[in-house]
Amino acid sequence: MPLFAGVDVGSSATKAVLVDEHLRVLGRGTGDSGADFAGAAESAFEQALGQAGVTRDIIGYVVSTGYGRGNVAFANAQRTEIHCHAKGAFHLFPRAITVVDIGGQDNKIIQVDRRGRRLDFAMNRKCAAGTGSFLEEIAHRLRIPLQDLSGMASRSTDVTVSIGSYCTVFAQTEILAKIRAGIKREDLARAAMVSVARRVLETLAVSNEVVATGGVVAHNPPMKEILSEILGVVVHVPPHAQHVGALGAAITAAGK
Amino acid sequence: MSEPIPRARPIAAARLMKRVMADHFLRLDEAARDPSRKVAWCNSVGPGELLHGFGFEVYYPENHSAILGATRKATEYIPYANARGYSPEICSYLTADIGAFMKGFTPLKKAYGIEAVPRPDVLVYNTNQCRDVQDWFRWYGRHFGVPCIGVHTHRNIDEVTDTHVASISGQFQELARDLAGIAGHSLDMDRFRDVVRLSARCSQLWEQVLRTAMARPSPLTFFDGTIHMGPAVVLRGTKVAVDYYETLLQELRSRVSDGVAAVEGERFRLYWEGMPIWGKLRSLSEQFLGLRSCVLASTYCNSWIFNQLDPDDPFDSMARAYTELFIVRSDPVKEQYISRMCADFQVDGIIYHDARTCPNNSNNRYGMPGRLADRLGIPYLTIDGDLNDLRLYSEEQARTSIEAFIEQLDQD
């Protein structure tokens, strides 16, 4: 039986997922999108094939998504990341949900009804606020590797510290002032995540359970609790949260 | 996605329109160099009829700035006005136009061989659209040392009352007294009535042109409308505009009777609320074509429909026509208007363009999209952008949002 693939070429990372006709995940791949979207797609796809122990001739249909969806030469069709994240999240949580995808360059809030139909969606305004890029910039300003931001935020002891500015550049200036005032980096790291969650809050009204997807929640465990606190709802972060868009693309490829 | 993208069907009358617009600019250029003729600058929904009544050649800076936008020159010149203290947050028609002027640039040179915009003898504004037109014109008034006079319209109006009409009509009559001094003669009422008659006819024809889009499939798109409205903006009150719209209307009516679609395989019918994104008309038009979705109605193109104009009562009817405009009205009136348009044109979705530098024509900012979605059950999408300043537009994000919106309509 053929397998189906989804390839999500995001602004920061490229993800691939292979599923069978029963939508069981057989392989995943991940890589940096970098400056070569086509190469990144190829490499994530190869990884997924390797993990599944299959060759590409068994793949029946490929759907690409994400910023670089037009660069995937081997894709049979393209769908937006909004469609794919909704599809993937609903597959994992088949009920009325709000999908909150926080990616490298944008975030998407998507309302899905109990039958999996999209009711509404919104993306962040044209700015890096509320995205992975914001956290990258803040980590840089705090002089810590991005992968350490999460651990540092979880050691925060003062949850009243906040970053008020929308703008990434202004937020950095604000952080400089707070560093001068002696505020700990741990508290600033958490405050940056709270800022991301607040941008989500103002994008679209959230009234039911949230399924959070994307690299930011996948790599920053404190985001789950912060999102839940800010949005005032139950927040689920599925395993492989970064691959939910690619999963949705694979499900679309399977025609389900 | 593997399906070939359909091609746009060009409107044959466009060739005639190009000639009509070229003649307009060349005549203005000649007039500006002829001491015996007078040039007046006017805003696009300003009292052009009165100026034609006096025999002025009438030039419209908004049209010029839209050309700067459409030729993707606006963003290059906006910073020069910003540097002179005109904020990047205010009207980018103003900043692009003044910035280009400061640098001695006009797109009229490449298009028609015209060196500079026509020197004005007077600038006449109407604040019915916004205060920015007044600030814009005053800059030129100071630069050229010529009078800048105008009409101050009431805003956020529910019902247009006799009090509003009397106030604006009075201001028009006062304007006429000032203009007589500049023109060097009094207003010829017969000529004025004739101009109002021609303007009313142009307006009726333009409305009929736009209403051909009620047909399924629609014979024209909003993007066509933004181009073909040129004569209604800059030549209303002249026979040339009337003749042009008679030709265009005939062509569109034949399209309707032959079932010719502007968007082949039209699947969805969309309403555009807000300003065009001038520098992206083509790419947006092609994207919708590829999605087989027709943006076919808008508030924007309707702004040059003036149903109240009456040659027998020129001052009062102009006052009523220029006050009845959508942009002057309160949100409840605007919502009623959009609801009626959506019903008439059988609209499947509404796209709001939040133009960063045009708050007066960005109607999404006070909760209207949500209210209308509840009332009409029609989904909506908001795009962040701008009329002229492409620094404020994220094309990738807008394209993805539009595609996702059509996917959403598709699941129903």
Side-chain angles (χ1 to χ4, degrees):
Chain A
M1 293 301 277
L3 302 183
F4 305 95
V7 182
D8 177 5
V9 186
S11 58
S12 298
T14 294
K15 292 77 64 178
V17 167
L18 300 187
V19 298
D20 66 13
E21 57 176 339
H22 304 295
L23 307 184
R24 285 182 299 227
V25 175
L26 302 181
R28 292 187 187 85
T30 320
D32 273 344
S33 296
D36 174 13
F37 285 175
E42 192 68 40
S43 139
F45 184 49
E46 284 294 338
Q47 255 186 61
L49 290 169
Q51 199 181 81
V54 297
T55 51
R56 60 169 67 203
D57 53 338
I58 200 171
I59 305 298
Y61 206 78
V62 181
V63 168
S64 64
T65 186
Y67 271 113
R69 61 187 177 277
N71 297 86
V72 184
F74 55 90
N76 302 93
Q78 301 174 24
R79 299 304 293 268
T80 66
E81 47 273 41
I82 290 138
H83 166 88
C84 292
H85 278 276
K87 196 92 177 166
F90 184 76
H91 173 71
L92 299 171
F93 298 88
R95 49 190 183 260
I97 49 171
T98 300
V99 183
V100 173
D101 172 61
I102 307 176
Q105 293 291 340
D106 62 33
N107 60 43
K108 298 170 266 295
I109 321 296
I110 313 157
Q111 282 168 352
V112 178
D113 73 7
R114 61 188 172 81
R115 290 183 296 151
R117 284 158 36 98
R118 265 164 43 204
L119 297 175
D120 200 0
F121 72 94
M123 293 169 82
N124 58 308
R125 294 168 73 93
K126 201 197 106 185
C127 120
T131 70
S133 293
F134 178 79
L135 294 181
E136 280 176 23
E137 291 295 327
I138 300 302
H140 178 70
R141 171 53 60 200
L142 295 174
R143 297 291 184 269
I144 51 174
L146 183 61
Q147 61 270 26
D148 294 351
L149 194 72
S150 176
M152 195 161 261
S154 60
R155 292 194 296 278
S156 164
T157 52
D158 184 356
V159 297
T160 62
V161 174
S162 72
I163 299 172
S165 308
Y166 275 8
C167 164
T168 308
V169 175
F170 286 0
Q172 295 209 30
T173 317
E174 198 179 334
I175 282 177
L176 277 179
K178 289 194 155 71
I179 290 172
R180 268 206 315 270
I183 291 175
K184 289 191 307 179
R185 289 198 299 183
E186 287 79 358
D187 297 328
L188 288 168
R190 187 179 190 281
M193 292 186 190
V194 170
S195 171
V196 168
R198 286 201 175 280
R199 299 294 84 79
V200 170
L201 174 76
E202 70 206 15
T203 305
L204 192 68
V206 170
S207 54
N208 46 21
E209 287 172 72
V210 161
V211 177
T213 66
V216 169
V217 292
H219 298 299
N220 297 284
M223 277 304 297
K224 180 180 172 180
E225 167 244 319
I226 291 172
L227 271 173
S228 177
E229 189 185 310
I230 300 285
L231 301 175
V233 295
V234 174
V235 174
H236 305 280
V237 177
H240 310 289
Q242 196 174 8
H243 286 78
V244 173
L247 173 65
I251 294 169
T252 307
K256 303 273 168 102
Chain B
M1 287 293 156
S2 50
E3 268 182 68
I5 294 173
R7 292 170 66 109
R9 285 178 199 273
I11 293 175
R15 277 218 302 261
L16 173 60
M17 190 196 60
K18 277 186 185 156
R19 203 162 65 234
V20 162
M21 294 299 280
D23 289 348
H24 161 71
F25 286 113
L26 291 168
R27 195 176 53 252
L28 272 166
D29 187 46
E30 264 176 42
R33 286 184 281 113
D34 178 349
S36 69
R37 293 161 74 185
K38 304 263 185 191
V39 173
W41 289 19
C42 186
N43 67 290
S44 67
V45 284
E49 291 79 4
L50 186 57
L51 298 169
H52 280 295
F54 271 104
F56 285 100
E57 293 293 341
V58 188
Y59 166 79
Y60 293 88
E62 280 157 81
N63 169 247
H64 186 257
S65 201
I67 299 173
L68 281 166
T71 52
R72 285 178 292 284
K73 285 288 180 188
T75 307
E76 190 178 331
Y77 290 103
I78 288 167
Y80 297 108
N82 297 157
R84 291 293 187 95
Y86 285 83
S87 164
E89 304 289 333
I90 65 166
C91 173
S92 60
Y93 270 167
L94 179 163
T95 49
D97 192 63
I98 292 179
F101 186 86
M102 283 172 176
K103 302 309 282 183
F105 177 81
T106 171
L108 302 180
K109 178 160 187 190
K110 189 175 173 194
Y112 312 113
I114 294 170
E115 291 294 329
V117 294
R119 191 186 194 287
D121 294 287
V122 62
L123 300 116
V124 181
Y125 61 82
N126 186 343
T127 60
N128 53 3
Q129 298 175 91
C130 58
R131 66 160 276 175
D132 297 52
V133 289
Q134 173 189 329
D135 295 87
W136 181 0
F137 283 25
R138 283 186 178 162
W139 186 89
Y140 282 107
R142 286 190 294 273
H143 176 83
F144 287 111
V146 298
C148 179
I149 50 183
V151 173
H152 295 260
T153 297
H154 308 275
R155 300 202 53 81
N156 200 21
I157 295 172
D158 277 321
E159 191 188 340
V160 178
T161 64
D162 290 346
T163 312
H164 295 125
V165 173
S167 153
I168 303 301
S169 180
Q171 291 189 59
F172 281 148
Q173 288 171 57
E174 205 175 306
L175 207 57
R177 285 191 284 277
D178 292 340
L179 288 168
I182 297 161
H185 57 81
S186 57
L187 180 64
D188 175 343
M189 283 306 288
D190 288 338
R191 180 176 187 165
F192 181 32
R193 285 200 181 89
D194 199 41
V195 170
V196 172
R197 181 183 62 77
L198 287 168
S199 193
R201 181 68 189 138
C202 169
S203 161
Q204 285 161 4
L205 287 163
W206 176 234
E207 182 174 26
Q208 287 169 28
V209 161
L210 293 174
R211 289 183 85 79
T212 61
M214 286 163 66
R216 243 179 221 277
S218 169
L220 90 162
T221 70
F222 160 68
F223 305 103
D224 297 326
T226 61
I227 303 300
H228 287 271
M229 73 184 200
V233 176
V234 304
L235 286 161
R236 68 175 185 279
T238 71
K239 187 166 180 308
V240 178
V242 170
D243 292 347
Y244 175 68
Y245 289 115
E246 276 171 352
T247 305
L248 178 62
L249 183 59
Q250 201 176 15
E251 180 179 349
L252 292 172
R253 283 187 170 157
S254 327
R255 276 191 173 199
V256 171
S257 51
D258 298 342
V260 173
V263 171
E264 208 181 298
E266 174 191 295
R267 295 187 308 146
F268 300 112
R269 298 165 65 84
L270 305 171
Y271 189 86
W272 183 279
E273 174 50 47
M275 296 294 292
I277 304 171
W278 287 109
K280 294 291 169 187
L281 288 181
R282 179 186 287 257
S283 59
L284 283 166
S285 157
E286 285 174 353
Q287 185 182 10
F288 284 107
L289 203 60
L291 294 166
R292 295 184 188 273
S293 300
C294 189
V295 185
L296 48 78
S298 70
T299 313
Y300 182 72
C301 289
N302 286 11
S303 305
W304 289 272
I305 297 171
F306 305 100
N307 289 325
Q308 295 291 338
L309 289 177
D310 175 4
D312 293 331
D313 187 12
F315 280 112
D316 278 8
S317 73
M318 263 178 71
R320 198 171 280 281
Y322 285 103
T323 309
E324 267 203 349
L325 285 180
F326 179 91
I327 198 164
V328 185
R329 311 301 289 280
S330 66
D331 272 15
V333 177
K334 288 178 175 172
E335 286 166 28
Q336 185 63 40
Y337 181 96
I338 296 173
S339 302
R340 200 175 57 240
M341 287 291 290
C342 287
D344 286 353
F345 288 78
Q346 301 170 62
V347 163
D348 300 305
I350 304 177
I351 296 179
Y352 293 86
H353 171 209
D354 188 339
R356 176 70 170 265
T357 73
C358 189
N360 274 12
N361 218 350
S362 295
N363 287 301
N364 61 302
R365 295 186 182 183
Y366 295 86
M368 188 188 290
R371 290 195 297 275
L372 276 176
D374 289 345
R375 175 172 171 171
L376 304 174
I378 296 175
Y380 71 90
L381 170 72
T382 303
I383 299 173
D384 292 309
D386 192 54
L387 49 155
N388 259 0
D389 192 343
L390 293 179
R391 296 173 301 181
L392 302 169
Y393 180 60
S394 167
E395 184 155 33
E396 197 49 46
Q397 205 179 65
R399 289 186 72 82
T400 297
S401 294
I402 290 167
E403 201 177 323
F405 186 59
I406 301 298
E407 282 173 347
Q408 188 177 319
L409 293 176
D410 229 353
Q411 66 184 1
D412 293 331

